[in-house]
Amino acid sequence: MSEPSPAGNFRPADSPSYESILQCMRCGFCLAVCPTYALTNRERSSPRGRAALARAVAEGRLEFTPAVGEEAYFCLDCKACTTACPAGVRVGTIMEFCRSQEQGFRPPSLPAGALRDFILKRMLPSPALMEGSLLPLRLYQRLGVQWAVRRFGINRFLPGALAKMEGILPALEKPLRLELPEVIPAQGKKRGRVAFFLGCAMSLVFPEVSRQTARILSQQGFEVVTPREVKCCGAPHLAEGDRDTARRLALTNLDLFLGLEADAIVTDCAGCGCALKEYEELLEGHADHGRLGRFRAKVRDVSEFLAGAGIRTEELRPVPMSVTYHEPCHLVHGQGLSGPPRHLIGKIPGVELREMKESNWCCGMAGSFALKEREASRKLLERKLAHVRATGADALVTANPGCHLQLAWGVRELGMKQPVLHVVELFGRALPA
Amino acid sequence: MLTKAAIDRLRQKVGTGNVYHEREDLLVYGYDGTPETAGIPDVAVFPQDGEGLKAALAFCRDEGLSLTPRGAGTGISGGSIPVRGGMVLGLTRMNRIIEIDEENLTATVEAGVITVDLFNAVASRGLFYPPDPGSQNVSTLGGNIAENAGGLRGLKYGVTRNYVMALSGLLIDGTEFFTGGKCVKDVAGYSLRDLLVGSEGTLGIITEATVRLITPPQDKRTFLAYFRDIRTAGEAVSRIIAGRIIPATLEIMDKMTINCVEDYAAIGLPRQMEALLLIEVDGHPAVVAEEADGVRRILQEVKADEVRLAANAAEAARLAAARRTALSAVARVSPTTIIEDATVPRSCLAETFAEIERLKEKYKVRVATYGHAGDGNLHPTAATDERNREEIANVHAFFSELYDKVLSLGGTVSGEHGIGTAKKAYLLRQLGAGGVAVMRRIKDAFDPAGCLNPGKIFLDAPAPPSTVHPGGKDV
């Protein structure tokens, strides 16, 4: 067999490495955990199938066909297969590269392309532009629009997606980014100084959650620094295949946060945390290796940080309720964090944690998937909520804004009783007033 | 080459969404878990019921296609690879558990039911289906039966064959068969059932099976024993068996396996040790206590370097789950993993380990060894790279010489994975021309035209070169 050229039928820029694809030895363990395979029972919509398609492209046996692009976007990038893979294959990451490839091979037509460019390259990188926008549509929704416009034509697409968009969006409040003090002092005996990475979705859609995060960190003895110059973490760009803009944003955040001299960089958004932890890889060759390593070593999800630091429980008040916990993909699979959020929940006096089945399965939000693939998304959501209902818990706890939106929408649609809470919202209820 | 009209006709009969013929789909139904080999079917069909299945078979006959049955595609001897193209017949959409009969202690399932789903369904009724192949979370019962799959509990509970009571399905010419039943005893005629179990999809298409269920053990205890010399581990296994103790599980992992599995599972396995044994005794609490004492005594006698008792059932389950990942975890080291299935009488384990060590040295290959030591069933797995032809040649030479030894000890070339495409030459070596010829006659009686899963088991009748797709290449 002749040695294939490095990229085969991939475009050279931002192509997945051949080694990363070859790592798959096709044992099929991933089939048991892949939500899109569970939906379709179609091998090409499984991690093993997607890796095989990428391999065929890399080996020049297959062009980068529209079907390969479709599979790259049909992948939830939930990374459940990464957790399940003994061989260490990261199909989600390979599919992110394939999304980039799809953008290169088949750039979206006008005006969808212009809209996409505007969102990814102008609006998201600029918090002020995003916050100032009058449209009650945010990141995920916008990306969903451009996708569907491109694929199906605007008329066929709009009614369904708009209905879901309107349904899913809570009333927007004033962005927290401009409200939160840049420095919040530590309470009690000071244990350190943390930089709070305030994500776009948190600031805009869930300001109350991030207010709790800052409050808890301070109550637990940490000085909280929240820089207003923070940029989007780049996760939406990676997900949509715009690696250039993602790198630009990452470089800005890297400089900004390293300059704060904090002990840790903490976020309460699983999606941001996952992206921040991947800066090292994203910026390889674009920034100093040592600085990337230092940055990576500081990034923590809020539950990971608090569990690691040890939680002060003396002043906590009982919160008598039962909860069940939905694990965000970007926390459990993206960052391997399954224990810390449960640890946090377990420290709250009076809270009973009732485990649901398949707690680590995707809720069907998956960035813009919920809008692009509404039928598939709804099936995943219903599967999830059936497990929630079976627990009979008083509340549904999670730790990521995307899941939060989707779950809250589903709970309302199905008339379920459980309010959806971020784990820090629950913890916040235990803090002294 | 199938025409669009033909595909449309097939779609009408089987359902549009159950027929794939786009190139991207065909590419991913050409492989299973076997390295170094893949094919490309002309069409892949996933019937949802018996009618669809019959229609698919009729289509194959009309179009002169060969047919390769497929479960989850997790086999590791090439059994479900369509080496001559034709139709891949997927059975994963026929996946109903038809009945759990609590009076007769049986379950009847369609071929596409996933092994662990059956396990869980019967467990919820207080019953136990023991066969647990490494891929049980994905593999199908049909595939397990076709390959006569084993697993971690084989030592005490046996393999898939020991649980199959009845089978029904279709021969390639459309003949329906039903063999066996719910009777505990049945000697009416030849046991076609036993012929079909382990036939690797070359004799007939199994669509439904009735399996025997047992009551689960009341108690269990799980040990981990570590060794600085793998031969001592082999000796411990032989002495446990000779000591009349039959654990449910008696698994071995060598140093390289321990390290690969630990890299993935991070459960605190001892990276510096040369071998570990995972030993589980189960049954009535009094028996478990007695056997646990016996195991502990033997481990002390052979001077195991450390013996640990799993704290609880959850830890025991984690250990077994980690062991199941061994094959795939070895792929962390190198992209191609070539696994073998050498099985020897259990008294010969220490000698076999010594031979593996000698041959690793001789051929300069990296081999991780693990397996069902209590069954004498080892899975030496070469970590290699199929792009490196020289190294691959060494790996095959290593296995070839190892099999000389295994056969000289009265062993077998496959304990539980099957022959498929991967071990045809070794089978001939083990059985001789006469033994293979008898099998060939049986195959011809079931499938005279040789259309059902061609290119498997038998070394004769090589495929025309134009249709062979080695090493992941395609047409």
Side-chain angles (χ1 to χ4, degrees):
Chain A
M1 191 162 83
S2 63
E3 193 68 16
S5 69
N9 286 343
F10 284 116
R11 297 158 66 94
D14 285 328
S15 58
S17 85
Y18 185 54
E19 291 299 322
S20 72
I21 297 169
L22 212 54
Q23 200 66 35
C24 172
M25 43 71 72
R26 307 188 296 228
C27 66
F29 278 29
C30 51
L31 301 184
V33 302
C34 175
T36 57
Y37 181 69
L39 284 174
T40 61
N41 188 247
R42 189 178 189 178
E43 180 82 11
R44 66 174 235 194
S45 303
S46 75
R48 180 172 68 170
R50 290 178 175 124
L53 290 180
R55 180 169 173 179
V57 173
E59 289 174 353
R61 291 182 286 123
L62 182 70
E63 296 296 320
F64 193 95
T65 59
V68 179
E70 278 166 30
E71 281 310 332
Y73 278 99
F74 189 53
C75 169
L76 295 156
D77 200 6
C78 71
K79 303 177 200 284
C81 52
T82 301
T83 302
C85 181
V89 183
R90 296 189 303 162
V91 177
T93 305
I94 294 169
M95 288 301 108
E96 283 175 12
F97 280 109
C98 286
R99 291 176 182 187
S100 256
Q101 293 282 322
E102 173 70 9
Q103 293 298 328
F105 277 109
R106 283 170 283 276
S109 58
L110 292 167
L115 179 57
R116 174 180 186 275
D117 278 357
F118 176 75
I119 295 165
L120 288 176
K121 296 188 174 149
R122 295 275 319 282
M123 192 181 83
L124 275 173
S126 156
L129 242 182
M130 187 158 52
E131 287 154 4
S133 166
L134 290 175
L135 292 168
L137 306 172
R138 255 187 351 88
L139 163 64
Y140 300 115
Q141 289 81 358
R142 288 167 191 270
L143 294 172
V145 170
Q146 69 84 17
W147 167 272
V149 167
R150 181 160 62 102
R151 271 187 76 186
F152 311 115
I154 196 151
N155 294 337
R156 275 181 55 209
F157 167 74
L158 276 178
L162 270 183
K164 170 127 194 200
M165 246 180 271
E166 284 173 10
I168 207 168
L169 255 192
L172 294 184
E173 298 170 51
K174 202 166 177 198
L176 181 65
R177 189 179 66 96
L178 305 170
E179 299 259 298
L180 204 62
E182 286 200 78
V183 179
I184 301 174
Q187 292 177 18
K189 188 172 182 303
K190 184 175 170 182
R191 296 202 276 170
R193 169 182 159 96
V194 301
F196 182 23
F197 187 94
L198 181 56
C200 313
M202 298 309 296
S203 170
L204 274 169
V205 188
F206 296 109
E208 263 321 300
V209 174
S210 285
R211 218 185 289 279
Q212 291 302 323
T213 302
R215 179 168 163 250
I216 293 165
L217 288 168
S218 156
Q219 187 271 344
Q220 290 286 315
F222 298 95
E223 181 184 32
V224 183
V225 189
T226 312
R228 293 198 171 162
E229 303 78 18
V230 63
K231 298 283 186 187
C232 170
C233 65
H237 306 81
L238 287 175
E240 289 298 319
D242 179 6
R243 296 182 77 84
D244 272 342
T245 310
R247 271 192 286 267
R248 203 152 49 75
L249 295 167
L251 281 169
T252 308
N253 285 328
L254 179 76
D255 289 343
L256 176 64
F257 279 84
L258 279 180
L260 294 176
E261 303 286 330
D263 304 319
I265 300 162
V266 175
T267 178
D268 53 9
C269 169
C272 294
C274 200
L276 296 175
K277 287 179 179 181
E278 285 171 10
Y279 275 10
E280 209 175 358
E281 202 171 333
L282 175 69
L283 294 178
E284 181 65 50
H286 295 263
D288 175 68
H289 202 72
R291 297 182 73 228
L292 287 170
R294 273 206 306 288
F295 182 86
R296 170 66 190 84
K298 285 177 195 255
V299 179
R300 296 281 185 283
D301 180 75
V302 61
S303 63
E304 178 187 20
F305 176 75
L306 289 171
I311 293 165
R312 286 182 184 168
T313 55
E314 310 83 65
E315 296 178 15
L316 298 185
R317 302 178 308 183
V319 181
M321 67 192 298
S322 59
V323 303
T324 188
Y325 173 58
H326 160 72
E327 310 195 53
C329 299
H330 283 90
L331 205 55
V332 59
H333 304 304
Q335 301 179 55
L337 297 175
S338 198
R342 291 184 167 87
H343 178 80
L344 215 63
I345 293 168
K347 287 289 177 189
I348 306 170
V351 167
E352 177 205 351
L353 176 60
R354 296 188 191 166
E355 292 289 351
M356 69 171 95
K357 265 178 73 182
E358 297 180 347
S359 64
N360 61 359
W361 273 57
C362 177
C363 63
M365 183 65 183
S368 47
F369 185 92
L371 296 160
K372 296 167 191 166
E373 303 281 354
R374 290 192 303 286
E375 194 49 42
S377 167
R378 190 175 177 110
K379 283 186 186 155
L380 292 174
L381 178 60
E382 282 170 0
R383 180 173 177 145
K384 170 67 62 183
L385 291 178
H387 294 324
V388 171
R389 188 182 275 123
T391 67
D394 299 328
L396 168 55
V397 175
T398 189
N400 186 55
C403 310
H404 203 141
L405 283 172
Q406 168 91 338
L407 293 170
W409 179 74
V411 162
R412 278 197 307 276
E413 286 279 297
L414 297 182
M416 290 169 62
K417 62 166 186 175
Q418 287 86 359
V420 181
L421 300 172
H422 190 292
V423 64
V424 297
E425 274 178 294
L426 181 69
F427 197 88
R429 294 184 182 188
L431 291 197
Chain B
M1 187 69 189
L2 292 169
T3 61
K4 177 155 188 322
I7 295 288
D8 286 345
R9 190 156 43 85
L10 183 62
R11 286 195 158 144
Q12 254 174 18
K13 292 199 171 122
V14 190
T16 304
N18 297 323
V19 176
Y20 299 124
H21 81 128
E22 292 86 355
R23 185 168 170 71
E24 293 81 2
D25 283 300
L26 299 181
L27 262 170
V28 299
Y29 289 117
Y31 58 69
D32 64 8
T34 314
E36 296 188 281
T37 174
I40 302 260
D42 296 295
V43 62
V45 182
F46 291 77
Q48 286 184 301
D49 53 32
E51 290 312 304
L53 184 74
K54 282 179 198 160
L57 255 65
F59 182 82
C60 280
R61 289 194 298 274
D62 292 348
E63 297 288 332
L65 296 178
S66 60
L67 183 151
T68 303
R70 178 182 176 91
T74 54
I76 37 189
S77 57
S80 58
I81 296 177
V83 287
R84 310 253 173 98
M87 177 185 289
V88 160
L89 180 77
L91 288 146
T92 48
R93 295 182 193 173
M94 293 176 66
N95 62 349
R96 287 179 309 142
I97 295 177
I98 296 166
E99 177 197 57
I100 296 172
D101 180 345
E102 296 189 48
E103 291 187 339
N104 287 304
L105 304 188
T106 64
T108 301
V109 299
E110 288 185 324
V113 168
I114 291 171
T115 314
V116 82
D117 289 345
L118 174 64
F119 176 91
N120 288 331
V122 304
S124 71
R125 311 271 190 100
L127 291 166
F128 182 31
Y129 176 72
D132 61 340
S135 54
Q136 61 174 357
N137 289 338
V138 201
S139 66
T140 62
L141 264 300
N144 292 168
I145 293 166
E147 298 291 333
N148 188 15
L152 268 58
R153 302 191 188 105
L155 174 54
K156 178 170 179 177
Y157 293 101
V159 296
T160 303
R161 175 186 302 287
N162 305 108
Y163 293 85
V164 177
M165 297 188 76
L167 293 175
S168 50
L170 293 167
L171 300 188
I172 188 76
D173 67 4
T175 305
E176 293 183 47
F177 65 79
F178 179 81
T179 166
K182 287 184 183 175
C183 297
V184 174
K185 301 166 92 175
D186 179 2
V187 293
Y190 294 149
S191 177
L192 294 184
R193 173 191 67 199
D194 286 302
L195 199 49
L196 285 158
V197 175
S199 64
E200 306 188 19
T202 62
L203 299 183
I205 296 150
I206 297 162
T207 57
E208 212 174 288
T210 298
V211 297
R212 185 165 71 92
L213 306 174
I214 60 175
T215 50
Q218 293 163 290
D219 193 15
K220 57 176 71 173
R221 215 157 297 175
T222 307
F223 292 96
L224 269 181
Y226 305 147
F227 300 86
R228 286 187 211 286
D229 187 330
I230 193 165
R231 285 168 303 187
T232 316
E235 193 192 333
V237 172
S238 299
R239 287 177 66 163
I240 289 170
I241 303 296
R244 314 287 198 269
I245 297 170
I246 306 296
T249 293
L250 180 39
E251 296 289 311
I252 192 163
M253 284 163 49
D254 73 354
K255 186 176 193 169
M256 180 168 163
T257 312
I258 291 170
N259 279 279
C260 289
V261 169
E262 182 61 18
D263 283 345
Y264 168 63
I267 52 172
L269 298 178
R271 291 177 177 278
Q272 73 289 357
M273 287 290 175
E274 288 298 322
L276 72 73
L277 290 178
L278 173 65
I279 307 165
E280 186 164 289
V281 291
D282 71 1
H284 185 278
V287 176
V288 168
E290 195 177 309
E291 292 193 337
D293 284 347
V295 166
R296 201 187 280 277
R297 195 171 52 247
I298 290 168
L299 292 173
Q300 277 163 1
E301 282 166 14
V302 300
K303 299 193 168 57
D305 290 277
E306 196 183 326
V307 179
R308 286 192 48 227
L309 187 64
N312 49 40
E315 188 186 350
R318 267 200 302 281
L319 290 168
R323 156 62 189 88
R324 284 182 224 284
T325 67
L327 165 61
S328 325
V330 172
R332 299 180 88 88
V333 175
S334 203
T336 309
T337 47
I338 301 181
I339 181 172
E340 285 296 340
D341 193 18
T343 306
V344 294
R346 291 166 292 195
S347 57
C348 306
L349 270 177
E351 192 178 347
T352 308
F353 283 125
E355 180 71 355
I356 289 173
E357 291 308 310
R358 185 182 77 81
L359 293 174
K360 269 157 71 172
E361 195 55 39
K362 176 174 174 184
Y363 290 102
K364 305 280 180 242
V365 288
R366 280 188 301 174
V367 173
T369 299
Y370 51 92
H372 318 296
D375 303 336
N377 184 186
L378 300 179
H379 297 315
T381 299
T384 177
D385 187 333
E386 62 187 271
R387 291 168 293 179
N388 183 341
R389 299 319 298 177
E390 189 186 342
E391 189 176 282
I392 288 284
N394 279 335
V395 165
H396 287 299
F398 165 89
F399 282 127
S400 180
E401 192 168 341
L402 177 61
Y403 276 123
D404 282 342
K405 178 73 175 182
V406 165
L407 291 175
S408 78
L409 294 171
T412 173
V413 299
S414 183
E416 57 178 5
H417 295 166
I419 299 302
T421 57
K423 284 176 211 162
K424 295 189 280 189
Y426 295 141
L427 181 72
L428 184 62
R429 237 195 265 179
Q430 179 174 334
L431 298 185
V436 173
V438 175
M439 290 187 181
R440 181 83 230 183
R441 277 193 237 169
I442 294 171
K443 163 73 176 167
D444 290 344
F446 278 80
D447 173 24
C451 290
L452 183 58
N453 207 2
K456 311 296 162 66
I457 300 180
F458 302 104
L459 201 51
D460 54 358
S466 62
T467 59
V468 178
H469 317 301
K473 281 215 182 95
D474 73 30
V475 282

